[in-house]
């Protein structure tokens, strides 16, 4: 994809994610980060078991049951569902995120 195609796609993805309850907090370690890549838009995110556990309030009880991998997987599925519902193509193969392109 060229730069002319990427800018509107990045804007659309940010809008779709915001409408789905995810904010693009680029430059922070919270929320999905939207970045232009040569073949589309890469979405990455950080997952923190302790942040989830502190929100839940059950601390040690859940820490034995929840792994960082599980949290990353759930966030990835949620982002994929939101983006695909908006008609975008999502490739989950990048090890560190999702590669998003337009259909067609």
């Amino acid at each position: 994809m060229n730069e002319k195609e990427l800018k509107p796609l990045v804007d659309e993805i940010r809008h779709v994610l915001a409408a789905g309850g995810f904010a693009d907090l680029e430059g922070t370690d919270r929320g999905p980060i939207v970045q232009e890549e040569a073949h589309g838009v890469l979405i990455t995110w950080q997952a923190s078991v302790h942040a989830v556990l502190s929100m839940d309030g059950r601390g040690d009880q859940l820490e034995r049951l929840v792994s960082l991998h599980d949290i990353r997987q759930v966030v990835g599925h949620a982002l994929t569902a939101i983006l695909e519902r908006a008609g975008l193509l999502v490739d989950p193969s990048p090890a560190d995120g999702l590669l998003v392109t337009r259909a067609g």
Side-chain angles (χ1 to χ4, degrees), residues 48-64:
S48 168
V49 173
H50 297 292
V52 172
L53 296 177
S54 66
M55 287 187 303
D56 179 83
R58 290 187 280 172
D60 292 338
Q61 294 172 335
L62 285 178
E63 194 162 4
R64 290 187 290 267

Side-chain angles (χ1 to χ4, degrees), residues 58-91:
R58 290 187 280 172
D60 292 338
Q61 294 172 335
L62 285 178
E63 194 162 4
R64 290 187 290 267
L65 303 174
V66 179
S67 73
L68 190 57
H69 172 76
D70 295 337
I71 293 171
R72 286 192 55 76
Q73 190 173 21
V74 168
V75 171
H77 288 306
L79 292 172
T80 298
I82 291 167
L83 294 163
E84 286 179 344
R85 201 170 303 129
L88 299 167
L89 295 177
V90 180
D91 178 1

Side-chain angles (χ1 to χ4, degrees), residues 18-67:
F22 289 92
D24 173 22
L25 301 170
E26 196 165 342
T28 72
D29 62 351
R30 307 176 89 184
I33 300 167
V34 179
Q35 305 169 36
E36 293 181 14
E37 292 291 324
H39 301 291
V41 176
L42 181 65
I43 300 175
T44 58
W45 61 93
Q46 297 291 321
S48 168
V49 173
H50 297 292
V52 172
L53 296 177
S54 66
M55 287 187 303
D56 179 83
R58 290 187 280 172
D60 292 338
Q61 294 172 335
L62 285 178
E63 194 162 4
R64 290 187 290 267
L65 303 174
V66 179
S67 73

